[in-house]
Amino acid sequence: MSTYVDSRVGTRKGRSFPAYGPIDSILGFVVFYIFVERATPTIVAVFSTAIPGLSASAIGFGIAALLWFIFVVTILDQLRRQLAALGVGSRGDVERSTREGGTPSGTLVLLYVGAVVLGGAIAAWSFERAVDAGIMMIQIVGTLDITRFDLLAFVVMIVFFVSFGAATRALDRLVIGGFRAVLTS
């Protein structure tokens, strides 16, 4: 891996450090963790039935190991992004970081606030149904029983993920952009 340092980092439209993404990643992992925690009994039941020789504790251990793996990968990715924002890393990472540089304009701030409020409200409203729909999908895949499919619950799950993604991305842009503005003043 080559190291590339670009002296232009932080000069275009304000600073590009810290890089965007940590708040979005943290909130995304928290929602994933909550979903896996609630879905674990269903996952254990489905896998125990599908693979009779597999113990419930082995399945639980596999789920825990998966969560830790995803957590470590998320942390390492955010570390890589922050280093790229400082100009340390491969050429592609540094160039991508400078394209995402600067602080949001006043118009973008208003759009981000609207996305946080509207997306957050929709995500909060649809969260429980989305989790239930995800668990339903696990049961359907595990049992191959398509008759249990609920189209409305599936649509609510999609609406949750889109609204949650918009809200967390906008919140990330607001907080990181504000932090960048404080650093440049």
Side-chain angles (χ1 to χ4, degrees):
M1 178 174 129
S2 67
T3 301
Y4 174 76
V5 179
D6 187 354
S7 62
R8 296 175 301 145
V9 173
T11 61
R12 206 177 102 199
K13 290 171 57 179
R15 296 184 51 101
S16 63
F17 179 79
Y20 288 124
I23 294 168
D24 190 15
S25 295
I26 290 168
L27 292 175
F29 181 79
V30 167
V31 165
F32 178 71
Y33 178 85
I34 291 169
F35 173 75
V36 170
E37 179 185 0
R38 290 194 186 172
T40 295
T42 303
I43 295 169
V44 169
V46 165
F47 275 100
S48 297
T49 305
I51 308 169
L54 197 57
S55 71
S57 62
I59 297 168
F61 177 77
I63 292 169
L66 175 69
L67 280 172
W68 276 106
F69 175 76
I70 291 172
F71 178 73
V72 168
V73 168
T74 301
I75 296 297
L76 290 175
D77 179 58
Q78 286 306 309
L79 202 85
R80 179 192 57 78
R81 292 174 59 86
Q82 298 307 320
L83 288 173
L86 290 171
V88 178
S90 67
R91 181 178 292 269
D93 291 340
V94 172
E95 288 173 353
R96 192 173 316 113
S97 176
T98 58
R99 281 195 305 269
E100 295 178 348
T103 58
S105 66
T107 305
L108 276 177
V109 167
L110 290 176
L111 286 172
Y112 289 153
V113 168
V116 168
V117 170
L118 184 63
I122 293 171
W125 168 78
S126 60
F127 177 72
E128 290 298 327
R129 292 222 31 211
V131 170
D132 293 342
I135 292 171
M136 173 195 67
M137 297 302 291
I138 292 170
Q139 291 169 338
I140 289 171
V141 169
T143 61
L144 299 175
D145 181 15
I146 196 73
T147 60
R148 300 192 61 205
F149 183 74
D150 181 3
L151 181 61
L152 181 60
F154 182 74
V155 169
V156 169
M157 184 176 70
I158 298 300
V159 166
F160 166 76
F161 282 115
V162 170
S163 63
F164 177 78
T168 58
R169 182 173 173 89
L171 181 64
D172 186 74
R173 296 299 196 245
L174 283 172
V175 173
I176 299 298
F179 194 70
R180 286 179 178 180
V182 168
L183 285 177
T184 58
S185 59

